[in-house]
Amino acid sequence: MNAAALQMATKGAIRIQNVDKIYDPAGAAVQAVSDCTLDIRAGEICMIVGPSGCGKTTLLNAIAGFHDISGGAIYLDGEMLCGPDRPKAEPGPDRVVVFQNGALFPWKTNLENVAFGPVMQGKLSWSAAAEKARGMMADAGLTGVEHNYPGEISSGMRRRVEIVRALMNDPKVLLLDEPFRALDSLTKSVMHEALLEIYYRNKVTIFFITHDLEEAIFLGHRVAIMTTRPCRPKKILEVDIPHPRNYSVLTSPRFRALMEETVSAVHEEAVKAFEAGEKEM
Amino acid sequence: MSAVAETLVRRPPKRGESFFKNQVVRAIISIAVFIAFWELASRLNWPWVGQAPAPSKVLDAWLPLLNDQGYWYSWYQSSRRVLSGFIAAMIIGIPLGLAMATSRVFHDITFPVFEILRPVPPLAWVPAAIIFWPTQELSIGFVIFLGAIYTIVLNVVGGARSIDVRYFQAARSMGSSSWDIFRRIILPGVLPSIIVGCEVGIGITWNVVVAAEMISGGGGAIQSSAGGGLGFFIWNSYIGFSYPLIVVGMISIGIAGWISSAVIRRLGLLVTPWLRVR
Amino acid sequence: MSAPSLVATELRARIRPGELRVANVSKSYGDAQLRTDVVKDCSFTLERSKLTVMIGPSGCGKSTLIRLLAGFEKPDSGTITLNDAPVSGPARERLVLFQESALFPWMSTWDNILYGPRARGEMNREARGMAEFLLNKVGLKDFRKKYPMQLSGGMQRRAELARAMINNPAVMILDEPFRGLDAMTKELMWEYYSRLFEETRRTNFFVTTDIDEAIFLADRLLIMSNIPCHVRAVLEIDLPRPRTLIAMVENDRANEIKMQALSLLHEEAMKSFSRGSKAAADFVEAYSKRVTRA
Amino acid sequence: MYRLGRWLTSPTPYLMLLGFALFFGAWYLLSEVFKVWRFASLPGPHQVLVEWFNPNPVYGMSLYTPQYYMHVWMSVRRVLYAFVISTALGVPFGLFLGWSRNFRDFTFPVFEMLRPIPVLAWVPLAIVMFKGDESPVIFLTTLASFYATALNTMLGVRSIDEAYPRAAACLGASKWQVFRHIIIPGALPFIFTGLQISVGVAWFSLVAAEMVSGEYGLGYLINASYVNVQYPVIIIGMISVGIVGYASSALVRLAGDYLMQWRVRELALGGGR
């Protein structure tokens, strides 16, 4: 995906402007996000990296509209999602979240899960949605598990069903909250490949939170390294390795140089969190 | 840090419009509405709810009782019965549950018998208990004991079963004797379930003591008026047509039951500090 | 209370790293027609003062092997000996760190660490001094009174390491101990754990499914076949110690070993893939994409 | 079949029989043979069984007499009414309790205020409030089940992982669609736990209510046969209540498994996720 193709993708640009978020559980005001400004270009994979419990998920929840922000504003393609007069954004199919521990509805078959979005919005009839869902699941290598329940397929396959379910609504942005954290390292590499293939086909902006530095550099156009709590971008790394990328990238000298740069940048933050015994927020 | 100060100001004021969102205020409102509705229904003599004596009448009946010896004596009677039956159920139930959980053979012998007796409601035992036990008190005590024993044993067995096998393996690797494992792994591991069992158990015993006392007062299986206690107090008020006292008795038992559960919950938290620090 | 350094030298002096030998051990479960062999005549040696890592596809019987070594189960055939003495049941010589924390939730960190000495009736000033030293060593000095629920994932693991070390085991067995941690804490734990190993030089047996973790930590790498599991290959990891994350990233020898191990693991996964195991399917797909593109 | 085979070879069934033998044997020896202490006045198992299976029973109550089935049916009918009403009221009430904070804030305090009052303390008031003898008993049994159903349904809604309604909101589902497609199916496992408890509690309260004020029914039978000194019938009544009670909760369990196919298949696979 060279720079030209990036311009071509018009939708899904997120502008985060001096956003603050203060939780106050039982009065002890906790500052999760402080004066965070970040611009994510349309059609870009932006990786958000930082120590555990530093407020990354809070940022994602604010964009998705799960809770409000205490200050600043967030725009999607220029249109305000949430700001001073409207602290809480409305969740919608233009910004779909893929959750860390998965949120496939266990009581619906995989096909019913994938077709859920359009049917709920009344865009497609059940049969039309099922047809489109079967097609998209086939593209993601999920033929044959349509009528199983999520509990019956491997965790790698569950992840893919969830991503396909998100894409069924042609969202402008995919918000991923450490989606591959629970997978063992080799299944993770399957998911990287699958995600890239889906990305090349759908040109959707991806806001991806992770702890895994190798994953961040391998997938991302840009990597935003966040400070410990309260989180704000400490350094933004341009990953100038051309797309489409594959595993040979992992051993290339450019990748190692970027890896070194990220590890040292993140290391101080991680050790601070490690010493302070930060319990995961 | 000016950014933080500035944002604090903009946050919506705490007191102002969120007053009605505050949970306690809403609870007071809802209870007040309920009482008002009950008062109105009773005044206008509506069917069903209307037939129950109005809260005002209940209050008038209750106030003089507060310094009436007999009233507090019935509290004492009922609580004594509940406590004796309940403590007996704990003394027998907890070891029985632990034995079932630890020894497979003992479990396979006793648990099936336990399971076929469980569906029989405790109060169905009242006549049989009266025939068997020599005195009135023992019969009621036995039925209360039955009410609590099932819940306690089931919770103990369930609790012991849910202790992760890794804890046993780790303890044994570090050289624990089986008595040591029982004392320092099984007991603390089962404690939270014992407390849950007791909380539920005490609720059931109050149910049982009321019925047993009513049956004893109500000319049913238990003849003599050795009853006493809040159940008997309610039944007596019913026979004496003083309906407001029925409601007084009901609310008194409700309070007594609530206090005993709260006491057990408090004791439970005392005994399990690691759960408190969530 | 003796000065920490005194305790450190005293602790190190008492370490007796053991040599554990596994000779054609087999183990199967189920009866009659549904008998499944989980371990089939598996032999290997955990050399003294070496960190041996065992890697194999998930579901290949590694945990069963760990239960046999720890003495929680008996092998059907073959022998397991520690310093030539046969292993009978669980004992302090062979302590296990499980995948999920086995810290007792109802005990404070301090009581957890002192569980072993107290259970064996060896509760004395020396044991308390040792516990004090270890508590500082794992950086939990001011978390002494806390319950496990109040510690983060990484801190629970370190507390468990301290609880094991105070019993001075001849062999430490770890079953994917860092799997639950997030990637960053995990890498910090790799560095921390290998520094700890280099200091104590106790025989360690580390089981994992993560190839990077295996190569970072191991002196010897056992690559296991799929179920029924036996040792498929042994790779000597001659990378210099002490090892750091940054050094490992650009070390060519490390990448070379990684590719070698991956190809062996791939063959094993293909076998079980044909037998339809879910986990193996994911592995084969991942691996085939990686190799064809590399 | 395989599991049955394994069960038969393992010692459990024989130990179970040993347990039953010990229990019934002791009862038989104490009551009928040696007539020890107070056991003498209790009818032994042999006596009870003979009476129960006797075509023309001494006290007119056995498997062959219509009155017996009439009592059983009266009790079952009451529990059925109570169960239907308490489910119809309890499940929606519990769903709203769990789902909307406003509804919970205004109704839960009253619910919690009334809950500690033992159900059986309501007997006299029920008789006063509901004339006739059928409706007070049904009211009591319904009240007992209602508490269990509503509470467990609420717990069910609260147990749903926060990610599910959020995911549904992302996918464009409206509030009511989330309620129907996420909250109800998600709370189903807890709802069925609640229904099982509510059947047990229904039988618990029914027997007591019948003993105090009923005309027919097993509770009444047990109490009346004590008064008329027909002791074996007491035990027959107790056994019958036990069997019918067990059968009704088993039925609820089966309905639960049928409705929640996804859980059955997931549990069979050893916990899925």
Side-chain angles (χ1 to χ4, degrees):
Chain A
M1 168 71 73
N2 45 37
L6 213 53
Q7 263 57 40
M8 199 259 293
T10 53
K11 55 186 170 82
I14 304 175
R15 166 183 289 279
I16 302 172
Q17 212 173 345
N18 327 90
V19 164
D20 298 311
K21 173 62 188 168
I22 297 170
Y23 285 107
D24 84 358
V30 166
Q31 174 103 34
V33 176
S34 90
D35 187 21
C36 166
T37 304
L38 184 63
D39 275 317
I40 298 159
R41 298 190 289 261
E44 171 192 51
I45 300 181
C46 177
M47 310 299 289
I48 310 292
V49 163
S52 56
C54 82
K56 309 191 290 293
T57 308
T58 310
L59 210 54
L60 180 134
N61 285 343
I63 300 172
F66 296 151
H67 56 59
D68 58 10
I69 53 176
S70 316
I74 300 177
Y75 301 89
L76 176 61
D77 292 342
E79 179 218 338
M80 185 206 274
L81 289 176
C82 53
D85 50 7
R86 193 157 56 94
K88 182 171 175 306
E90 253 319 298
D94 52 354
R95 288 153 289 126
V96 186
V97 174
V98 175
F99 293 83
Q100 187 176 118
N101 305 325
L104 284 181
F105 309 132
W107 46 83
K108 288 183 181 295
T109 62
N110 293 326
L111 190 68
E112 286 162 355
N113 261 292
V114 172
F116 184 79
V119 169
M120 281 301 122
Q121 296 153 44
K123 282 205 182 103
L124 294 171
S125 71
W126 164 248
S127 49
E131 207 35 54
K132 183 181 177 193
R134 243 187 291 278
M136 287 190 83
M137 284 175 82
D139 296 348
L142 292 166
T143 40
V145 292
E146 291 91 346
H147 299 297
N148 295 92
Y149 286 101
E152 295 172 279
I153 56 176
S154 78
S155 47
M157 279 189 254
R158 262 201 300 275
R159 282 283 96 139
R160 271 179 273 155
V161 171
E162 196 164 351
I163 291 172
V164 169
R165 177 177 77 172
L167 292 171
M168 268 290 280
N169 308 280
D170 339 311
K172 290 184 187 155
V173 181
L174 263 185
L175 300 167
L176 305 177
D177 184 0
E178 286 181 77
F180 310 142
R181 173 170 171 181
L183 309 178
D184 67 83
S185 59
L186 284 164
T187 321
K188 211 183 243 193
S189 41
V190 176
M191 293 316 302
H192 291 162
E193 295 284 330
L195 184 65
L196 283 181
E197 267 157 40
I198 294 174
Y199 170 73
Y200 298 142
R201 259 204 296 347
N202 291 281
K203 294 292 170 299
V204 69
T205 312
I206 294 185
F207 179 96
F208 192 115
I209 294 179
T210 181
H211 283 112
D212 184 336
L213 304 186
E214 189 181 85
E215 178 177 67
I217 298 171
F218 176 68
L219 293 174
H221 288 95
R222 288 195 307 156
V223 176
I225 299 167
M226 314 299 266
T227 59
T228 45
R229 182 155 38 141
C231 94
R232 42 207 304 277
K234 168 179 171 184
K235 184 174 184 183
I236 307 234
L237 213 69
E238 284 290 338
V239 181
D240 46 18
I241 300 173
H243 274 276
R245 295 179 185 160
N246 59 54
Y247 262 80
S248 58
V249 153
L250 285 179
T251 44
S252 71
R254 185 63 192 122
F255 184 86
R256 282 199 201 150
L258 286 167
M259 190 62 173
E260 237 164 84
E261 206 182 333
T262 326
V263 166
S264 49
V266 166
H267 210 62
E268 318 132 16
E269 298 300 327
V271 169
K272 251 187 266 166
F274 193 68
E275 288 321 349
E278 274 301 282
K279 201 163 179 318
E280 249 138 65
M281 208 151 82
Chain B
M1 283 313 279
S2 67
V4 173
E6 188 221 317
T7 45
L8 278 184
V9 168
R10 250 189 291 124
R11 216 148 46 90
K14 195 86 185 78
R15 293 258 31 81
E17 40 84 308
S18 73
F19 176 77
F20 286 103
K21 286 216 169 27
N22 172 308
Q23 232 165 353
V24 173
V25 169
R26 287 178 161 195
I28 295 166
I29 292 169
S30 73
I31 291 172
V33 163
F34 171 74
I35 291 173
F37 169 75
W38 178 9
E39 181 75 30
L40 194 65
S42 156
R43 285 262 172 77
L44 302 175
N45 204 354
W46 287 350
W48 294 337
V49 181
Q51 302 310 320
S56 47
K57 288 212 201 69
V58 171
L59 211 56
D60 302 342
W62 202 348
L63 291 178
L65 273 183
L66 290 185
N67 38 42
D68 164 347
Q69 210 49 7
Y71 170 67
W72 295 113
Y73 181 70
S74 26
W75 267 71
Y76 161 70
Q77 276 283 54
S78 293
S79 321
R80 187 176 51 76
R81 284 194 185 113
V82 163
L83 274 182
S84 51
F86 187 70
I87 287 167
M90 289 221 303
I91 291 170
I92 295 172
I94 296 175
L96 182 65
L98 287 172
M100 276 189 194
T102 38
S103 133
R104 190 103 191 89
V105 169
F106 182 79
H107 173 273
D108 289 346
I109 295 175
T110 51
F111 198 71
V113 173
F114 183 80
E115 273 300 287
I116 60 163
L117 293 178
R118 196 157 61 90
V120 179
L123 285 151
W125 287 84
V126 167
I130 294 156
I131 301 169
F132 178 74
W133 292 97
T135 70
Q136 196 71 51
E137 281 310 315
L138 278 174
S139 311
I140 298 182
F142 174 71
V143 175
I144 294 172
F145 164 82
L146 269 182
I149 190 95
Y150 293 123
T151 326
I152 292 176
V153 169
L154 280 179
N155 271 285
V156 168
V157 173
R161 278 269 164 73
S162 65
I163 299 177
D164 203 308
V165 72
R166 288 198 317 275
Y167 296 143
F168 296 117
Q169 290 171 338
R172 209 165 294 122
S173 312
M174 289 192 265
S176 288
S177 65
S178 45
W179 165 243
D180 198 47
I181 286 184
F182 181 79
R183 195 166 56 84
R184 298 178 71 206
I185 306 293
I186 294 181
L187 275 187
V190 162
L191 216 45
S193 316
I194 292 179
I195 290 154
V196 166
C198 291
E199 247 187 271
V200 172
I202 197 111
I204 296 176
T205 47
W206 276 104
N207 251 301
V208 169
V209 78
V210 164
E213 286 168 353
M214 264 196 241
I215 295 169
S216 73
I222 313 171
Q223 286 313 337
S224 75
S225 73
L230 289 169
F232 180 69
F233 173 87
I234 293 178
W235 191 257
N236 227 1
S237 321
Y238 166 64
I239 295 173
F241 296 102
S242 40
Y243 294 157
L245 284 180
I246 296 180
V247 179
V248 165
M250 285 167 69
I251 298 173
S252 317
I253 292 188
I255 295 169
W258 185 79
I259 292 171
S260 40
S261 304
V263 163
I264 289 186
R265 240 194 322 275
R266 180 106 336 262
L267 284 178
L269 284 180
L270 266 170
V271 175
T272 55
W274 69 92
L275 292 182
R276 247 199 337 260
V277 293
R278 186 43 92 222
Chain C
M1 271 248 284
S2 48
S5 56
L6 253 182
V7 176
T9 43
E10 212 257 334
L11 181 78
R12 203 163 298 126
R14 286 180 53 220
I15 292 175
R16 296 281 172 281
E19 189 171 280
L20 197 136
R21 201 166 293 114
V22 175
N24 18 62
V25 155
S26 297
K27 178 75 179 175
S28 52
Y29 292 101
D31 45 8
Q33 73 278 33
L34 273 164
R35 199 146 193 71
T36 46
D37 297 335
V38 176
V39 179
K40 193 134 194 45
D41 107 70
C42 168
S43 310
F44 58 86
T45 307
L46 302 184
E47 283 163 17
R48 207 180 295 278
S49 305
K50 277 269 180 26
L51 203 172
T52 311
V53 174
M54 169 190 281
I55 186 162
S58 48
C60 82
K62 300 196 291 298
S63 303
T64 308
L65 254 181
I66 287 173
R67 284 200 297 275
L68 294 171
L69 295 188
F72 300 139
E73 282 171 34
K74 299 253 173 310
D76 297 349
S77 63
T79 61
I80 303 177
T81 55
L82 175 61
N83 304 343
D84 303 327
V87 154
S88 59
R92 62 180 292 182
E93 282 72 28
R94 291 157 280 106
L95 285 182
V96 180
L97 222 70
F98 296 99
Q99 192 172 344
E100 281 110 28
S101 153
L103 287 176
F104 305 128
W106 47 83
M107 289 181 198
S108 66
T109 312
W110 177 256
D111 294 335
N112 256 296
I113 292 177
L114 276 169
Y115 184 88
R118 193 172 273 145
R120 295 190 301 277
E122 295 156 5
M123 220 9 212
N124 49 35
R125 217 170 50 73
E126 192 222 338
R128 281 195 191 83
M130 197 83 71
E132 196 60 49
F133 166 74
L134 286 170
L135 202 58
N136 296 340
K137 189 107 193 67
V138 294
L140 294 173
K141 169 157 56 38
D142 32 29
F143 292 90
R144 170 202 306 270
K145 279 279 166 284
K146 293 270 196 262
Y147 286 100
M149 285 302 158
Q150 298 171 285
L151 306 178
S152 72
M155 289 153 71
Q156 283 182 18
R157 296 280 75 175
R158 285 184 271 154
E160 224 171 326
L161 275 172
R163 181 174 79 175
M165 284 191 288
I166 199 165
N167 305 296
N168 193 12
V171 177
M172 274 282 282
I173 304 169
L174 301 103
D175 181 4
E176 292 187 77
F178 307 142
R179 175 125 185 226
L181 305 178
D182 63 79
M184 215 164 293
T185 322
K186 186 188 284 192
E187 278 153 8
L188 287 170
M189 282 306 278
W190 292 351
E191 265 181 12
Y192 176 83
Y193 173 69
S194 71
R195 240 189 357 266
L196 205 62
F197 165 72
E198 282 138 22
E199 258 171 47
T200 58
R201 278 286 162 194
R202 198 195 303 275
T203 314
N204 270 280
F205 180 58
F206 193 101
V207 170
T208 183
T209 52
D210 182 335
I211 191 73
D212 300 317
E213 186 174 61
I215 292 171
F216 183 91
L217 297 174
D219 290 332
R220 289 175 74 241
L221 181 57
L222 305 181
I223 296 183
M224 306 307 288
S225 72
N226 213 297
I227 199 162
C229 89
H230 58 277
V231 180
R232 185 69 177 59
V234 179
L235 301 179
E236 294 298 334
I237 313 285
D238 45 17
L239 299 171
R241 281 186 186 278
R243 297 180 181 164
T244 62
L245 264 174
I246 313 256
M248 288 303 277
V249 170
E250 81 263 306
N251 184 309
D252 295 336
R253 178 80 182 101
N255 282 322
E256 201 190 299
I257 300 172
K258 186 170 170 180
M259 280 307 169
Q260 203 183 347
L262 270 176
S263 56
L264 288 165
L265 284 168
H266 178 238
E267 271 167 48
E268 283 313 311
M270 281 306 285
K271 283 194 208 128
S272 71
F273 176 64
S274 54
R275 281 206 298 281
S277 95
K278 263 191 304 178
D282 279 345
F283 172 77
V284 165
E285 196 178 343
Y287 186 72
S288 54
K289 282 206 175 70
R290 180 177 268 197
V291 171
T292 47
R293 289 274 177 69
Chain D
M1 258 320 289
Y2 165 71
R3 240 208 305 255
L4 187 66
R6 216 150 65 93
W7 187 66
L8 284 178
T9 50
S10 73
T12 22
Y14 309 105
L15 289 172
M16 189 169 82
L17 292 177
L18 174 65
F20 287 141
L22 280 174
F23 177 74
F24 289 108
W27 180 12
Y28 176 68
L29 291 177
L30 289 169
S31 291
E32 284 182 41
V33 176
F34 302 110
K35 295 202 184 302
V36 167
W37 190 45
R38 299 289 304 187
F39 282 98
S41 46
L42 272 178
H46 173 67
Q47 243 180 319
V48 170
L49 284 181
V50 162
E51 179 66 11
W52 201 13
F53 291 95
N54 181 343
N56 39 51
V58 169
Y59 302 107
M61 207 57 74
S62 79
L63 287 176
Y64 300 89
T65 56
Q67 300 96 318
Y68 173 72
Y69 291 105
M70 190 262 297
H71 282 298
V72 171
W73 168 240
M74 285 300 282
S75 289
V76 168
R77 198 165 60 95
R78 286 175 183 150
V79 169
L80 214 59
Y81 276 143
F83 184 71
V84 165
I85 300 171
S86 73
T87 308
L89 291 177
V91 171
F93 183 69
L95 285 171
F96 283 118
L97 269 183
W99 172 241
S100 117
R101 220 172 78 75
N102 298 336
F103 182 78
R104 181 166 63 243
D105 284 351
F106 283 109
T107 48
F108 199 61
V110 175
F111 179 87
E112 274 302 285
M113 189 179 74
L114 296 176
R115 196 157 63 89
I117 298 174
V119 171
L120 299 171
W122 286 86
V123 168
L125 195 64
I127 298 170
V128 165
M129 280 161 58
F130 302 92
K131 297 290 173 286
D133 55 23
E134 204 47 27
S135 37
V137 176
I138 291 179
F139 164 78
L140 278 163
T141 324
T142 312
L143 188 67
S145 324
F146 176 76
Y147 281 134
T149 314
L151 211 58
N152 275 284
T153 308
M154 182 180 95
L155 290 180
V157 174
R158 306 286 294 272
S159 73
I160 296 174
D161 181 342
E162 188 191 34
Y164 291 133
R166 281 183 166 177
C170 276
L171 297 169
S174 70
K175 236 163 107 57
W176 287 107
Q177 286 172 323
V178 171
F179 188 74
R180 194 180 120 19
H181 290 283
I182 310 299
I183 301 302
I184 293 178
L188 222 48
F190 272 79
I191 290 177
F192 268 93
T193 321
L195 292 182
Q196 263 180 37
I197 296 171
S198 94
V199 163
V201 166
W203 278 105
F204 172 91
S205 338
L206 177 79
V207 164
E210 281 175 348
M211 279 174 130
V212 175
S213 76
E215 270 309 300
Y216 301 98
L218 290 171
Y220 170 78
L221 172 68
I222 295 172
N223 199 20
S225 52
Y226 167 77
V227 171
N228 313 336
V229 197
Q230 306 168 329
Y231 291 167
V233 183
I234 296 178
I235 315 289
I236 291 176
M238 288 167 68
I239 298 172
S240 317
V241 168
I243 294 170
V244 180
Y246 183 77
S248 38
S249 55
L251 266 177
V252 170
R253 231 192 334 274
L254 281 177
D257 289 347
Y258 172 72
L259 272 175
M260 293 188 282
Q261 274 309 321
W262 59 277
R263 252 174 90 78
V264 173
R265 278 154 72 177
E266 186 172 292
L267 293 180
L269 272 158
R273 191 180 305 274

